[in-house]
Amino acid sequence: MTCLMPEPTEPTKTVPPVQSARVTADATRLAELTTIGVGGAPQQIIRAESEAELIAAIRSADDAGLPLLVLGGGSNILAADADFPGVVIRDERQEITTLDVSGCGGAELRATAGTPWDEVVVYAIENGWMGVEALSGIPGSVGAAPVQNIGAYGQELAETFAMARVYDRERQRTDSLFLSDMKFGYRDSILKRSMRAELPDAGDATPKQWTPSPRWIVLDVTLQMRLATLSRPVRYAQLAAKLDIEPGERAPSAEVRAAVLELRRSKGMVLDDADADTFSLGSFFTNPVLTEAAAANLPPEAPRFAVTDGAAVNQIGAAAPKVAGQVKTSAAWLISNAGFAAGYGMPGPAALSTKHSLAITNRGTATAADIAQLARTVRDGVLEKFGVRLVPEPVLVGLEI
């Protein structure tokens, strides 16, 4: 078979990466290292500028039996007000490398774990590569992306993920985890399951619970994408409407990025140092995945979406297949219709965003206890109203919801 390279095009110009000054370089407390701005002081903060330094710091903390938190952008961490009796490691490595570009194989890039995720999106769009454009504006680092199997507006990381080089804390060695190893699910992966002591190969043994960072620490991630300046088919109805196209149609990737960022800003989901509505952890709860029978108990007007299996993606750029018998509903809809409208909790120190009920925000003086109490109130209210228990999305450090 002959594979032809695409016709050359002018370089794509797109919106630059989203940046925020809220996470400071000289921080001494987790409140200064997280986008929600709460959390006590770690016993030690290490800034690793090389892979060797990163691995050495991880091994040293593990050998000493100290709790370990490897931190990227701090956009998914809710830490207790008390001091953290362990080691925080910040991966300072920020590098994106093109590994291959070919008509048959598409494009392949590798990004170090400390690289801000949004820089990867910009890099791909400007090079004319398709597959991550709808993931624009998601805060956090490349290393956190596969833990959550990040997703938005109809795309998930699993659809372009090829492999991650990791440091295995249990075996104390570097390793490679490929797509089939990751066991991706909705906002889930084998990395995240290790934090819940859920490992598929544990047999009769009780696996260790790795917390607050997983057993496998991501060193770098390799993505594979197709060569195209048009986006993947836009499946998310709200995004399609924003682009003035029909669901299933394609649009220039740079336009998709701009539309996604506009939608995210309208919901307070793009970091803005001048807007307290963005002093949050993004979506605080995951969208509930229900059986069809459980979903039938929801009001008819409750949103219902297909559930996809990220672990079953079998080719570059392919959409994840649907999971039979499962239905995903909207956590934001449940929250709003259980009596918690946008802005609920104001003028208190912690409140739901005035733009989107799914985000819990720090209005400036909130403590971690304030955030956690509001989360409990919302969770319990949704459970009482609809019989659905919401699950927090952030990593909890030193506290429980």
Side-chain angles (χ1 to χ4, degrees):
M1 182 179 75
T2 301
C3 295
L4 300 177
M5 293 293 289
E7 294 182 4
T9 60
E10 292 295 320
T12 301
K13 298 301 180 183
T14 189
V15 183
V18 175
Q19 304 289 350
S20 173
R22 280 183 58 74
V23 177
T24 59
D26 57 350
T28 59
R29 299 176 60 81
L30 282 165
E32 302 167 89
L33 290 168
T34 59
T35 56
I36 200 165
V38 299
Q43 182 173 316
Q44 184 180 13
I45 298 176
I46 298 173
R47 291 173 172 82
E49 297 183 356
S50 70
E51 182 176 301
E53 289 179 355
L54 177 63
I55 292 174
I58 295 168
R59 292 194 65 167
S60 176
D62 285 346
D63 289 346
L66 294 172
L68 173 67
L69 176 61
V70 179
L71 195 65
S75 61
N76 200 43
I77 301 292
L78 178 59
D81 300 306
D83 289 347
F84 176 59
V87 178
V88 169
I89 303 175
R90 293 205 65 193
D91 187 345
E92 303 285 341
R93 302 170 303 131
Q94 298 187 18
E95 182 179 350
I96 306 173
T97 305
T98 299
L99 301 179
D100 185 45
V101 181
S102 69
C104 286
E108 189 173 63
L109 70 79
R110 180 178 61 225
T112 53
T115 305
W117 168 255
D118 201 51
E119 292 190 7
V120 173
V121 177
V122 171
Y123 187 91
I125 294 174
E126 291 191 341
N127 280 281
W129 303 339
M130 175 190 79
V132 294
E133 55 279 346
L135 303 182
S136 294
I138 295 178
S141 65
V142 167
V147 178
Q148 287 282 101
N149 184 22
I150 58 171
Y153 297 102
Q155 285 184 357
E156 286 188 336
L157 178 70
E159 296 164 2
T160 53
F161 180 92
M163 63 165 284
R165 290 183 57 254
V166 297
Y167 177 73
D168 184 341
R169 297 166 65 191
E170 181 170 282
R171 297 175 178 169
Q172 295 193 328
R173 70 184 191 193
T174 58
D175 205 346
S176 296
L177 296 178
F178 296 91
L179 178 60
S180 59
D181 300 317
M182 293 297 291
K183 311 300 181 188
F184 281 130
Y186 169 64
R187 303 297 173 270
D188 204 9
S189 68
I190 192 174
L191 310 182
K192 193 171 182 180
R193 288 171 196 161
S194 76
M195 299 165 70
R196 305 192 300 260
E198 298 174 9
L199 296 180
D201 58 354
D204 295 331
T206 301
K208 176 180 177 180
Q209 181 178 18
W210 298 85
T211 185
S213 284
R215 167 181 162 180
W216 295 276
I217 303 298
V218 176
L219 303 174
D220 56 60
V221 171
T222 299
L223 303 180
Q224 289 183 318
M225 289 164 282
R226 291 184 174 175
L227 310 184
T229 55
L230 291 180
S231 70
R232 289 192 51 199
V234 176
R235 300 190 295 269
Y236 198 85
Q238 187 183 33
L239 178 57
K242 188 72 175 176
L243 291 161
D244 196 23
I245 62 176
E246 293 296 321
E249 294 182 354
R250 301 168 68 191
S253 292
E255 294 181 14
V256 172
R257 171 174 169 76
V260 166
L261 289 178
E262 190 172 343
L263 286 171
R264 291 182 66 87
R265 286 192 178 95
S266 72
K267 301 173 182 178
M269 295 294 187
V270 173
L271 298 177
D272 182 345
D273 299 334
D275 186 358
D277 262 338
T278 73
F279 299 174
S280 73
L281 300 171
S283 299
F284 196 91
F285 297 101
T286 58
N287 288 325
V289 175
L290 309 173
T291 64
E292 290 181 341
N297 294 324
L298 295 175
E301 63 272 22
R304 291 164 171 80
F305 309 102
V307 178
T308 57
D309 182 3
V313 176
N314 57 15
Q315 63 178 341
I316 302 171
K322 296 179 181 179
V323 178
Q326 293 187 351
V327 176
K328 182 168 61 179
T329 190
S330 166
W333 188 93
L334 295 174
I335 291 168
S336 297
N337 286 275
F340 306 102
Y344 177 88
M346 294 184 67
L352 300 186
S353 166
T354 64
K355 301 180 181 71
H356 200 273
S357 61
L358 192 51
I360 296 178
T361 64
N362 179 353
R363 308 312 295 185
T365 61
T367 64
D370 294 328
I371 303 294
Q373 183 55 52
L374 178 56
R376 290 187 201 101
T377 299
V378 171
R379 178 202 62 193
D380 294 348
V382 169
L383 181 63
E384 181 179 358
K385 175 76 173 181
F386 297 110
V388 176
R389 186 177 183 86
L390 297 178
V391 176
E393 188 167 327
V395 174
L396 305 177
V397 180
L399 80 169
E400 297 290 337
I401 303 295

